[in-house]
Amino acid sequence: MQKEPDAREAALDSAMHDPLAAGFPKGSQGRLLFWIAVAFSVFQIATAAHFIDMPSQVTRAIHVGFLGLLAFPLITLVRKRGPVLTTIAWVAAMGAVFVAGYQWWEYVPLLMRAGDPLGRDIVVGVLALMLVFAAAWILMGPALPIIAGAFLAYCLFGQHLPSPLNHRGYDFAQIVDHMAYGTEGIYGIPVYVSSTYIFLFILFGAFLEKAGMIKLFTDVSMGLVGHKIGGPAKVAVLSSGLMGTISGSGVANVVTTGQFTIPLMKRFGYRSAFAGGVESTASMGGQLMPPVMGAVAFIMAETLGVDYVEVVTAAVIPAILYFGSAFWMVHLEAGRAGLTGLSRADLPSPLRAVKEGWHLLFPLAALVYLLFSGYTPLFAGTTGLALTLVLILGASAALGLPQGWLRIVFWIGLGLLAASSLQYGIGIAALAVAGLVAWNAFSKGGRETLILCRDSLADGARTAIPVGVACALVGVIIGTMTLTGAANTFGQFIVSVGDKSLFLSLVLTMLTCIVLGMGIPTIPNYIITSSIAGPALLGLGVPLIVSHMFVFYFGILADLTPPVALACFAAAPIAKENGLKISLNAIKIAAAGFVIPFMAVYTPALMLQPGGALAEAVGFAPAVAYVVAKAVISIGLWGAAVIGWLGRPLAPWERALAMVAAFTLIAALPLTDEIGLALFVLFVARMWLSRRKEQSA
């Protein structure tokens, strides 16, 4: 069996696309930053659990201050810059702390003089903007800062543009006040969500990963599908989909699970470009998979003012179709290339893996239960994190007890104590964690577990830095929208096109989302595209959640689409293949991701949303069944056309027939369904007659 690359190799490949992936450097400065990261996580947990209560504006400012304090010196040390740049980085970090302190100290006076800032307010506001732009540039490159800078320039100079692109003009002090204070700019909804839901779920994932969740998911996936035709690729699809439930980054999925799955696929005969494409497609798709959805589900619910359950409900069927499509594509490719599965003797037992790691699944199950039971995501995330700590620390403590009834009593008591937190508050779980920490502190194995927990706190904070900084900078774009109404101009253009052709307006929106999404992480990507394109689709009569899901899907697919294709280029050094070739394979495998949003606009029942001509004509339940069946048929035909194999090699005209049938089923124009279904029947008949002829020969 292919040897899994070691952690050092994984870190090197990951660092190519995430400069902070290498972790905290050695030396006194690295240790200082490590403990600052631990303090950052503790602060976020304390505010989420309401052990520390501050005004939301102050909490957001301290969150951004911590991000700057860590980002500047950490990136400088990781890249091994000289003493001059390191000194500048620490000065910038202190500047971020000063801005946060100013927001805290001047909180009430700033409220009293809102709209009439003092000179020093403007100076601090400009400093805050400069630091956010600089942090984003050094962490993520120029793409997002340039886009945000263009929006800021529009605020400053947009009055000089021709109508209808111009605005009435705004004073410099008014723009800075709007962007750097209040909750419309840097400290807007994106940072609010970053400082609450996103940070907690990143921390939740960090603890589970440290405790062995990646190994559990991989072992279960290997045991379930590793022996099937094309088993290694199916393992990649399944394990990456499972990782998507706890991970907020598709690129992070590529460089973690991909370290194992891509070499495994190559060893068993898959082409390098195809193997990289499978992993990239599955990893990005993890962000479409409920319950976490890369934390976008929580931002979407907050933005739309709907319950979290409504967002997840809309995402369920599309996510299943997406991963079903990926399974189908790798199955066909395996059949075309004559690839068999792995030997059962070499595979781990999924049942044994679950028995050994069941305690890791419990917090995830509890998280899903709480989210679907109407609890807020903040409470669910805090409780899930507390349960994770209770189980990790409890499992270590239980090892010091003798086998038998004493361990059973221990686990029952711990379970009752944790469950009581739902009735009496999170403080009960906190007391349980504190007691287990004290217990583990006096045992050898326990001290090792405490070190793991400490490292998870630091790693969670480090992972949150790029996302949090991106959310702060995206606030500039959102602030421009609220100040100038720029989204209305774009929306009016899309709506005017949609009056003539809804399909053309959808294509323009798709291209906008893909272009804006190139090289930008998923969360800020969604925030930008939903702010610009979401209202336009709503103006065309597209249901609210469907319009946001539309831009969310294509924002994610930007990481698979040339020329940037960030996820594919992350897979390139692992697959030892050109990133562009991987990208071309990925967009074939991810066909469902390009198809589903269009189908959902015409038939919202695909996302379990009311509305649409079909639901009005035949009823909601029949409409859901019909559009899902149509999507499955379309995906099946597309796979056969692209791979060119369906039990046997397909002739060019057979592939063309399958492709035309697939496209007509997607179009949802008059008679296209009838034509598509007729072509599908013709294709099936052709395959059946061909099979009969082969059997009789």
Side-chain angles (χ1 to χ4, degrees):
M1 181 175 291
Q2 180 77 18
K3 181 182 177 182
E4 185 175 355
D6 61 31
R8 184 170 176 273
E9 291 172 343
L12 289 174
D13 284 332
S14 179
M16 294 180 63
H17 302 277
D18 178 5
L20 302 182
F24 296 91
K26 295 180 180 180
S28 58
Q29 293 184 68
R31 286 195 298 273
L32 175 61
L33 291 170
F34 176 89
W35 286 107
I36 291 173
V38 172
F40 187 12
S41 291
V42 171
F43 170 78
Q44 292 294 160
I45 293 171
T47 54
H50 296 289
F51 299 143
I52 298 175
D53 279 317
M54 291 179 166
S56 178
Q57 175 78 18
V58 174
T59 302
R60 301 180 202 190
I62 294 175
H63 177 78
V64 176
F66 263 118
L67 293 172
L69 176 58
L70 284 168
F72 289 108
L74 185 54
I75 194 70
T76 306
L77 290 174
V78 167
R79 290 176 174 169
K80 298 180 179 178
R81 303 305 189 197
V84 174
L85 288 179
T86 302
T87 302
I88 293 173
W90 278 108
V91 170
M94 291 301 103
V97 173
F98 170 75
V99 170
Y102 187 84
Q103 293 269 7
W104 188 1
W105 184 260
E106 291 282 314
Y107 173 65
V108 174
L110 283 170
L111 289 179
M112 300 300 293
R113 58 178 182 262
D116 186 23
L118 301 176
R120 68 171 184 267
D121 297 337
I122 301 303
V123 172
V124 174
V126 170
L127 175 62
L129 287 168
M130 290 172 60
L131 290 172
V132 169
F133 270 91
W137 189 292
I138 64 174
L139 285 170
M140 289 165 283
L144 183 57
I146 287 174
I147 293 172
F151 277 85
L152 188 59
Y154 179 72
C155 283
L156 293 167
F157 310 112
Q159 67 269 26
H160 302 299
L161 294 174
S163 180
L165 300 176
N166 62 332
H167 56 67
R168 66 179 179 83
Y170 302 94
D171 182 71
F172 178 78
Q174 182 182 3
I175 294 172
V176 173
D177 185 52
H178 185 81
M179 296 296 180
Y181 300 100
T183 57
E184 295 293 337
I186 292 175
Y187 306 110
I189 287 179
V191 161
Y192 165 70
V193 178
S194 171
S195 64
T196 51
Y197 313 147
I198 294 176
F199 194 98
L200 277 181
F201 282 94
I202 287 175
L203 204 55
F204 180 71
F207 272 95
L208 289 178
E209 285 187 29
K210 284 282 186 182
M213 184 62 90
I214 293 178
K215 182 178 184 303
L216 173 61
F217 282 161
T218 303
D219 286 350
V220 170
S221 302
M222 291 283 287
L224 289 176
V225 298
H227 62 284
K228 304 287 186 182
I229 295 175
K234 291 176 180 176
V235 168
V237 173
L238 186 57
S239 61
S240 295
L242 291 171
M243 276 299 296
T245 60
I246 64 170
S247 172
S249 170
V251 176
N253 276 356
V254 170
V255 297
T256 51
T257 58
Q259 293 290 336
F260 172 75
T261 57
I262 292 176
L264 189 64
M265 283 187 275
K266 289 177 63 178
R267 177 180 174 182
F268 281 84
Y270 281 101
R271 292 174 288 116
S272 296
F274 189 85
V278 169
E279 181 58 43
S280 301
T281 301
S283 292
M284 294 309 301
Q287 295 172 97
L288 306 173
M289 179 63 68
V292 177
M293 296 171 60
V296 167
F298 309 117
I299 298 178
M300 194 178 295
E302 190 75 28
T303 303
L304 300 180
V306 301
D307 290 338
Y308 161 84
V309 175
E310 291 186 43
V311 175
V312 172
T313 300
V316 168
I317 292 177
I320 293 172
L321 290 173
Y322 183 94
F323 281 97
S325 171
F327 258 95
W328 177 239
M329 298 295 281
V330 300
H331 180 80
L332 292 178
E333 174 70 10
R336 185 193 66 79
L339 305 178
T340 58
L342 302 167
S343 169
R344 279 187 179 272
D346 295 331
L347 297 175
S349 166
L351 186 59
R352 178 180 296 176
V354 171
K355 284 182 177 179
E356 292 176 353
W358 66 269
H359 59 286
L360 299 177
L361 297 175
F362 184 74
L364 197 57
L367 174 68
V368 174
Y369 169 78
L370 291 172
L371 289 171
F372 280 87
S373 297
Y375 291 93
T376 66
L378 187 60
F379 178 82
T382 307
T383 304
L385 183 58
L387 287 176
T388 305
L389 280 167
V390 166
L391 283 167
I392 291 173
L393 294 169
S396 176
L399 292 176
L401 297 174
Q403 292 278 3
W405 65 269
L406 195 57
R407 284 195 186 185
I408 295 173
V409 170
F410 171 80
W411 280 115
I412 292 174
L414 201 58
L416 291 174
L417 193 64
S420 66
S421 63
L422 294 178
Q423 180 70 29
Y424 301 107
I426 196 67
I428 301 296
L431 288 174
V433 170
L436 288 169
V437 167
W439 186 329
N440 280 275
F442 293 98
S443 62
K444 182 180 179 182
R447 288 192 290 272
E448 292 173 355
T449 303
L450 291 179
I451 291 172
L452 180 145
C453 293
R454 180 204 65 190
D455 291 349
S456 297
L457 289 171
D459 286 345
R462 174 178 54 81
T463 303
I465 293 172
V467 176
V469 169
C471 285
L473 188 54
V474 164
V476 174
I477 298 173
I478 306 301
T480 301
M481 300 294 181
T482 57
L483 184 64
T484 67
N488 292 333
T489 303
F490 180 83
Q492 289 169 5
F493 172 70
I494 294 292
V495 170
S496 66
V497 173
D499 288 338
K500 303 178 181 63
S501 170
L502 175 60
F503 181 76
L504 182 57
S505 68
L506 292 175
V507 171
L508 288 174
T509 304
M510 175 191 74
L511 294 175
T512 301
C513 294
I514 289 176
V515 170
L516 288 176
M518 289 180 177
I520 299 176
T522 302
I523 292 170
N525 181 347
Y526 161 72
I527 296 169
I528 295 171
T529 53
S530 63
S531 301
I532 296 174
L537 294 181
L538 185 62
L540 292 172
V542 180
L544 190 61
I545 290 181
V546 174
S547 66
H548 278 249
M549 283 290 183
F550 186 94
V551 298
F552 174 45
Y553 260 74
F554 286 112
I556 283 178
L557 293 171
D559 279 340
L560 300 178
T561 308
V564 177
L566 196 60
C568 299
F569 280 92
I574 307 173
K576 295 180 174 58
E577 180 57 273
N578 181 273
L580 183 59
K581 291 182 180 178
I582 293 175
S583 174
L584 295 175
N585 279 271
I587 59 176
K588 294 176 185 177
I589 299 166
F594 290 91
V595 168
I596 289 167
F598 282 90
M599 296 184 74
V601 167
Y602 289 102
T603 313
L606 184 61
M607 292 185 177
L608 300 178
Q609 300 299 303
L614 182 63
E616 293 177 3
V618 301
F620 182 70
V624 172
Y626 175 77
V627 72
V628 169
K630 191 172 76 160
V632 169
I633 293 171
S634 177
I635 290 168
L637 290 168
W638 172 259
V642 169
I643 302 299
W645 190 89
L646 191 62
R648 64 169 177 79
L650 298 181
W653 72 269
E654 292 173 327
R655 297 174 69 174
L657 175 62
M659 188 167 291
V660 172
F663 277 121
T664 50
L665 287 171
I666 296 166
L669 300 173
L671 296 178
T672 52
D673 279 7
E674 290 83 351
I675 295 171
L677 290 172
L679 292 175
F680 168 65
V681 171
L682 179 61
F683 180 78
V684 170
R686 165 60 188 168
M687 298 305 298
W688 181 75
L689 290 173
S690 175
R691 177 68 61 85
R692 286 285 303 272
K693 185 177 180 180
E694 289 178 2
Q695 290 176 347
S696 61

